[in-house]
Amino acid sequence: AETQMAEEDGAYVAKVTLGKGEYQFRVSDSGFSCGSDFGSSDGGAVSLNVPVSAANCNARHNFRFKVSAPADYVIRLEKNVNDIFDLT
């Protein structure tokens, strides 16, 4: 399913409700255009509240996320001080 991101405080933010299970996702425009297509650089799992680098123009790996308890989650994509995008 697709979820629209909104701009908040200089970051792109999506709020999603997820049930228990394993998920894969990426952050992209509808055309998966280079410059706005972010995936995992290594295919590693995302942990709650731990920033990971989001590789731009990366068609190789989705982010992986395991949900142990159903809840509302917030996904943030923002540039860090080194102009690298972080996903939290």
Side-chain angles (χ1 to χ4, degrees):
E2 292 183 16
T3 300
Q4 293 285 332
M5 296 189 96
E7 191 171 355
E8 291 182 11
D9 301 321
Y12 293 99
V13 178
K15 298 173 183 163
V16 295
T17 301
L18 299 174
K20 184 177 179 178
E22 295 184 16
Y23 296 86
Q24 291 188 31
F25 67 95
R26 66 187 315 100
V27 177
S28 180
D29 63 10
S30 61
F32 298 97
S33 305
C34 187
S36 59
D37 180 23
F38 296 90
S40 170
S41 59
D42 62 3
V46 175
S47 299
L48 286 177
N49 302 314
V50 178
V52 294
S53 291
N56 195 356
C57 304
N58 183 340
R60 293 179 42 207
H61 300 288
N62 289 337
F63 294 104
R64 295 183 306 113
F65 183 57
K66 185 175 182 178
V67 174
S68 56
D72 295 329
Y73 294 89
V74 177
I75 299 167
R76 294 179 58 88
L77 179 71
E78 60 189 319
K79 277 188 183 180
N80 66 24
V81 294
N82 298 317
D83 281 340
I84 296 172
F85 282 90
D86 287 336
L87 182 92
T88 53

